[in-house]
Amino acid sequence: MAWFYLFLAGIFEVVWSTAMKESHGFTRLIPSILTVFFMILSVILLAISMKTLPLGTSYTVWVGIGAIGAFILGVVMFGESLNPLRVIAVLLIFSGVVLLKVATKG
């Protein structure tokens, strides 16, 4: 279950970071509320997963899921640039997350 909680925590990190972008510096109420709500939920799930998983693994995977998800949504929703160097960078992050999963028991 720890990996499931960690995965959800990472997804919720993507949600709150996207909501924060939409909040326009916390000047829009609904996206600001969503940011705080999903931020808290994400951190709670991260903490639950850390009961079983190592700190370095869980935190790095959480950040990796958030970074990859934010990158994808940035390209799809906000028209951010998609060039070969950015794709390689995201693939390296993905590779690191997969390797940490494989290397960690639990």
Side-chain angles (χ1 to χ4, degrees), residues 25-100:
F26 295 105
T27 59
R28 297 177 60 212
L29 182 62
I30 299 300
S32 298
I33 291 170
L34 290 173
T35 299
V36 173
F37 175 78
F38 282 101
M39 190 180 286
I40 291 168
L41 191 56
S42 179
V43 170
I44 288 170
L45 290 171
L46 174 62
I48 291 169
S49 74
M50 284 182 173
K51 288 180 179 181
T52 308
L53 299 173
L55 167 67
T57 299
S58 52
Y59 186 76
T60 304
V61 169
W62 179 66
V63 170
I65 292 169
I68 293 166
F71 172 81
I72 291 168
L73 288 182
V75 169
V76 171
M77 290 178 63
F78 303 112
E80 295 176 4
S81 69
L82 184 63
N83 61 54
L85 232 58
R86 292 186 84 207
V87 171
I88 290 168
V90 168
L91 290 174
L92 288 171
I93 293 168
F94 180 76
S95 300
V97 168
V98 169
L99 286 173
L100 277 171

